[in-house]
Amino acid sequence: MKKTVYILFFGAFVFASCNKTTVDKVVKTEEVKQMIDPAVAWRSETPKPGAARPIKLGESNSFELANGLKVIVVENHKLPRVSYQLSLNNDPVSEGDQAGYISISGDLIKTGTSTKSKAEIDEAIDFIGASLNTSGNGMFGSSLTKHQDELLGLMTDILNNPSFKTEEFEKIKKQMISGIASSKTDPSAMASTVASVLNYGQDHPYGEVETESSVERITIAKCKEYYDTYFKPNNAYLVVVGDITPDVAKQKVEKYFGSWEKGQIPTMRYKQPVAPSERKVAVVNKDGAVQSVIRITYPVNLNMASEELIAARVMNSVLGGGIFSGRLMQNLREDKAFTYGARSRLNADPYVGNFSAFASVRNEVTDSSVHEFLFELDRMVTEDVSQEDLDLVKSSMTGSFARSLESPQTIARFARNISKYNLPPDYYENYLKRLSNVTVADVRSVANKFIRPDNAHVLVVGSKDDIAEKLVRFDADGEIDYYDAFGNKVKYDEVALPSDVTAESVMEGYIAAIGGKDKVMAIKSLHSMGDMEVMGQKATMEIYNVAPNKVALVMKMGEMVLQEQVFDGMKLKAGQMGQTSVSTEGAEFDKAKTNAMMFPQMQYGANGYNLELKGVDNVEGASAYKVMVESPSGEKKTQYYDVKSNLLIREVESSEGPQGPMTITNDFQDYKEVSGVMIPHKIILSGAMPTPIEMMLNVKANVDVPEGTFTIE
């Protein structure tokens, strides 16, 4: 009887079809006979990993200039390119009530020198095909080797002669404020900001938050003060990587950076942040959100020089630090299907590190997800990891480390870390050996030190009305702390809700505030023209409304139509970027039907809408009645009516976007009278684009509507 045999021969598979007698004639050694015989026991066992070998890293060369600049050079001649990365080495700087000035300072120094304008700098960089970026922590430049003198000339001109021009300063401030406006509606950004405040406190540099008001307070003088104080050679590392020899690098660095004058660098000391003494739940409200962002976090005392660092990183990988087999991912995604991804991070820092475990989950499973997070954190402390899981993690980390060595920037980073953090010279050469030596007991030991489920901040960003009540049980005191998007504590229901106020009375108050029922009913049509900026480009929107429920809008960028929509009361025609569809049902149709009502508050009762008064909330400093509005088709939105003026100031609703559910917020401002009725002339739309869109309106009432405006073919 024949047996098919596969023999591994010098990396290739050789196929043989023969009987065992023939094989015995060909193969004489007992060792190979055992390889062929399937009855041999070792064939069913996983091979044992071999001992880790020392790593021979690529060479780096270091030297220091007379002015104190520390230079690290890594040769790599694969491509004719060279890069110069300058990074400052000062202690964290507290920005106080001008939070954001360090970032602005870094952006500002590239916008002009005493000899060149921003346009001239940009043109010079483009001409040699280089890249050059600056930040509050230094600068980075890269070019072809043959153009490095031109690059270094530009870098040192920027470094030594920044002009700090007012017009560029104002542009950068405006851009930063726009980014802040966007971040305060982004749940992930909100979670990151508030987590920093909770972990470090607002008096620590790591816990300071940039706000519109802090950026508005920033002055050019403050930016120049930062530059004058910290941009010094004795406060910096210069890493040179690429097609260059150490001797040539030293000549270039001496020539271009040798005259850079050193100075006295302040040292800073701050109170060491600590984890909470007991578990605390913090909620950041985002009305209309259908998902919650969960972040369980606290500060830890872990730095790069710690003997426990490698074991701690292994432990975190077992828990959820990047591999798909991590316990958090397997529990919350694979087993429970609560989320697309659940992970954890354990960050080392020379001053204070942090731990966080995080995921985005559906509202209805928010409390269940928190429970599973805490369960896995507790299990990490109380149960040993299996040897199989430990070996898998160590294998993954070994592979990642090996792949990282392919980049010369890695060698440079290693050299800088050894110098910056006072690590042993052979720290990275023995990394794999130290990684291989991590045991089950080591993982349990560091878990007991760094995993603190009972001393954590359980931070959740989401709709408080849907999630808060179920989260109370996780707080040690049974009390939830609420925060705004910038980490400031907020109190809800500060304004007592009068017993005679209902959702219906709020609507009646709104109608009275905008002019009264008779004046509203006298308006049969509205024509609105809006100007806005979309992704840096000017755009216009034209809208026709006709009572009771017709609307036609078109949005253009120049002559290009970006979006158009016509609802004639019975059918919806929707078009976007040349693609058009007509519908008489569905979610988009239902939403258009709701939005087509010119003054919907007048029609809620007659059209079967459900209204629920949820209380009083703070909206940008104003107390507002919060009303949940549900259409007959189930579409929900939350409206906010100013307690003092009774005017609608905000509307929030969820929408399905390309990346999943998103929350759209419309803020209504600048009410003006139009034919006796108060109508907002400024609308700020947040959530639909990376940055908020401000639309300035010109509104006219009872206009003639062009023929064919509502024709749907």
Side-chain angles (χ1 to χ4, degrees):
M1 181 174 181
K2 289 189 177 181
K3 180 184 290 268
T4 300
V5 180
Y6 294 90
I7 303 176
L8 188 60
F9 183 69
F10 290 106
F13 281 104
V14 178
F15 174 85
S17 179
C18 55
N19 58 39
K20 195 171 187 300
T21 303
T22 304
V23 172
D24 284 338
K25 290 180 180 178
V26 176
V27 183
K28 299 298 183 182
T29 67
E30 184 64 29
E31 181 181 355
V32 178
K33 286 182 182 179
Q34 290 181 355
M35 291 177 63
I36 297 171
D37 191 346
V40 176
W42 69 264
R43 291 173 60 84
S44 62
E45 298 177 359
T46 303
K48 298 292 187 294
R53 300 177 181 178
I55 299 171
K56 188 63 177 176
L57 298 177
E59 290 188 4
S60 64
N61 291 270
S62 303
F63 58 89
E64 185 172 326
L65 299 188
N67 59 12
L69 179 64
K70 297 177 179 64
V71 184
I72 298 169
V73 182
V74 176
E75 283 188 78
N76 186 280
H77 301 286
K78 291 182 179 180
L79 293 172
R81 296 192 66 85
V82 63
S83 67
Y84 292 83
Q85 181 172 4
L86 182 77
S87 57
L88 303 185
N89 192 38
N90 47 271
D91 293 334
V93 178
S94 179
E95 298 178 275
D97 65 356
Q98 296 187 54
Y101 75 76
I102 293 177
S103 177
I104 289 182
S105 301
D107 292 338
L108 190 57
I109 60 175
K110 190 190 170 185
T111 61
T113 69
S114 57
T115 61
K116 293 181 181 66
S117 66
K118 181 180 184 301
E120 289 172 330
I121 292 173
D122 292 342
E123 184 179 355
I125 293 169
D126 290 342
F127 184 74
I128 60 174
S131 62
L132 177 56
N133 299 296
T134 61
S135 72
N137 190 46
M139 65 171 61
F140 175 85
S142 175
S143 74
L144 293 173
T145 307
K146 65 182 180 180
H147 294 315
Q148 63 180 311
D149 283 295
E150 291 92 330
L151 172 67
L152 288 169
L154 289 167
M155 290 181 70
T156 50
D157 187 23
I158 290 170
L159 187 63
N160 293 315
N161 309 303
S163 57
F164 294 94
K165 294 180 179 177
T166 301
E167 60 270 26
E168 298 294 343
F169 171 72
E170 293 298 336
K171 286 180 185 177
I172 294 171
K173 280 180 64 171
K174 183 178 179 182
Q175 291 168 357
M176 180 175 281
I177 290 172
S178 178
I180 290 170
S182 177
S183 68
K184 69 182 181 181
T185 63
D186 180 340
S188 295
M190 294 160 71
S192 179
T193 297
V194 178
S196 295
V197 174
L198 293 176
N199 282 337
Y200 309 116
Q202 292 175 314
D203 294 331
H204 191 282
Y206 291 175
E208 290 181 326
V209 178
E210 298 167 2
T211 66
E212 290 102 331
S213 58
S214 76
V215 174
E216 288 288 2
R217 284 191 287 266
I218 296 173
T219 63
I220 289 183
K222 194 65 178 177
C223 294
K224 193 172 188 306
E225 177 188 306
Y226 175 78
Y227 159 80
D228 288 337
T229 303
Y230 293 103
F231 274 77
K232 300 296 182 184
N234 52 313
N235 183 43
Y237 284 89
L238 180 64
V239 177
V240 186
V241 178
D243 183 27
I244 192 170
T245 65
D247 289 341
V248 172
K250 190 168 186 178
Q251 294 172 11
K252 300 292 185 187
V253 173
E254 287 276 11
K255 176 181 177 180
Y256 289 99
F257 295 91
S259 60
W260 188 14
E261 294 184 4
K262 64 181 180 179
Q264 188 71 31
I265 308 300
T267 57
M268 304 291 178
R269 294 293 179 267
Y270 303 97
K271 184 179 179 181
Q272 187 73 6
V274 295
S277 58
E278 55 188 5
R279 189 190 304 144
K280 296 298 298 176
V281 174
V283 171
V284 181
N285 183 44
K286 184 168 177 57
D287 282 315
V290 296
Q291 287 187 320
S292 300
V293 175
I294 298 172
R295 184 168 295 200
I296 298 176
T297 186
Y298 48 88
V300 296
N301 184 17
L302 180 66
N303 58 56
M304 287 291 296
S306 171
E307 290 292 331
E308 299 170 308
L309 179 60
I310 293 178
R313 286 178 170 169
V314 170
M315 178 274 298
N316 183 62
S317 291
V318 172
L319 177 62
I323 63 172
F324 194 82
S325 62
R327 291 179 175 182
L328 293 175
M329 184 74 82
Q330 291 300 306
N331 183 332
L332 278 87
R333 171 178 166 141
E334 294 302 292
D335 184 36
K336 305 296 190 308
F338 288 165
T339 179
Y340 286 112
R343 300 193 183 278
S344 61
R345 278 197 295 261
L346 183 60
N347 295 324
D349 185 89
Y351 302 96
V352 55
N354 69 80
F355 170 84
S356 62
F358 50 92
S360 294
V361 304
R362 306 186 309 277
N363 279 356
E364 58 268 26
V365 297
T366 299
D367 60 319
S368 300
S369 298
V370 171
H371 176 272
E372 295 304 323
F373 267 114
L374 296 173
F375 169 78
E376 291 297 347
L377 294 182
D378 187 67
R379 190 162 74 96
M380 201 73 229
V381 174
T382 59
E383 294 182 15
D384 283 338
V385 60
S386 70
Q387 188 64 50
E388 181 182 4
D389 286 347
L390 178 59
D391 290 341
L392 177 63
V393 164
K394 291 197 292 187
S395 176
S396 175
M397 292 177 67
T398 297
S400 297
F401 183 81
R403 287 191 299 274
S404 73
L405 298 180
E406 298 173 3
S407 169
Q409 277 76 16
T410 298
I411 310 303
R413 177 166 53 84
F414 287 172
R416 187 189 64 177
N417 286 351
I418 288 172
S419 173
K420 185 174 182 178
Y421 302 119
N422 196 29
L423 303 176
D426 62 353
Y427 181 86
Y428 291 102
E429 291 182 358
N430 289 322
Y431 174 83
L432 290 185
K433 182 178 180 180
R434 296 173 66 199
L435 174 61
S436 177
N437 289 337
V438 174
T439 66
V440 169
D442 293 332
V443 171
R444 180 79 172 270
S445 175
V446 293
N448 274 275
K449 183 172 183 178
F450 297 115
I451 301 301
R452 310 283 296 278
D454 293 330
N455 304 100
H457 298 288
V458 178
L459 169 63
V460 184
V461 179
S463 173
K464 69 178 179 64
D465 292 336
D466 297 319
I467 63 174
E469 185 177 330
K470 297 178 182 179
L471 295 176
V472 172
R473 64 188 174 102
F474 300 111
D475 189 276
D477 295 329
E479 294 183 4
I480 292 178
D481 292 327
Y482 293 95
Y483 294 84
D484 66 13
F486 300 115
N488 300 305
K489 272 193 174 183
V490 296
K491 295 286 186 182
Y492 289 99
D493 297 321
E494 287 185 340
V495 177
L497 191 63
S499 58
D500 59 342
V501 175
T502 64
E504 289 72 21
S505 71
V506 171
M507 298 301 153
E508 293 171 359
Y510 167 74
I511 295 299
I514 63 174
K517 185 176 180 180
D518 291 341
K519 290 182 178 178
V520 169
M521 292 183 66
I523 294 183
K524 304 301 182 183
S525 66
L526 288 173
H527 178 233
S528 305
M529 288 294 298
D531 295 317
M532 71 201 84
E533 190 173 285
V534 180
M535 304 296 286
Q537 302 293 321
K538 297 292 184 182
T540 60
M541 180 176 285
E542 184 174 23
I543 307 172
Y544 280 98
N545 292 91
V546 172
N549 61 346
K550 292 183 179 181
V551 65
L553 68 84
V554 59
M555 181 178 178
K556 292 183 177 181
M557 190 174 289
E559 293 301 315
M560 179 175 64
V561 177
L562 299 179
Q563 183 179 2
E564 59 180 333
Q565 188 178 90
V566 177
F567 185 80
D568 66 359
M570 299 294 292
K571 297 189 297 292
L572 168 68
K573 182 175 76 171
Q576 191 168 356
M577 303 298 291
Q579 302 295 318
T580 303
S581 63
V582 177
S583 61
T584 57
E585 59 183 12
E588 188 176 7
F589 175 86
D590 291 336
K591 184 169 289 188
K593 185 176 181 180
T594 297
N595 294 336
M597 293 187 289
M598 196 157 53
F599 295 99
Q601 291 84 350
M602 290 274 290
Q603 305 178 50
Y604 284 155
N607 290 333
Y609 280 71
N610 290 321
L611 307 179
E612 181 182 0
L613 181 60
K614 306 292 289 187
V616 176
D617 269 5
N618 184 292
V619 177
E620 304 294 338
S623 295
Y625 295 121
K626 178 180 178 180
V627 181
M628 185 73 71
V629 180
E630 183 178 4
S631 72
S633 62
E635 293 283 340
K636 293 182 179 180
K637 62 178 63 178
T638 306
Q639 296 177 338
Y640 296 84
Y641 295 84
D642 187 282
V643 169
K644 292 182 178 179
S645 68
N646 289 323
L647 295 176
L648 175 65
I649 57 176
R650 174 171 288 179
E651 185 173 82
V652 180
E653 63 181 319
S654 294
S655 180
E656 193 66 32
Q659 306 300 322
M662 58 183 181
T663 303
I664 308 298
T665 300
N666 285 291
D667 287 318
F668 303 100
Q669 302 175 6
D670 192 21
Y671 275 82
K672 296 179 182 178
E673 184 179 324
V674 178
S675 295
V677 176
M678 301 297 290
I679 294 176
H681 281 59
K682 180 179 180 180
I683 301 176
I684 302 176
L685 172 66
S686 306
M689 292 287 182
T691 58
I693 298 174
E694 291 190 7
M695 182 163 57
M696 307 303 297
L697 295 172
N698 181 25
V699 185
K700 296 180 179 179
N702 295 324
V703 298
D704 293 329
V705 179
E707 186 177 349
T709 297
F710 297 103
T711 301
I712 298 178
E713 299 177 354

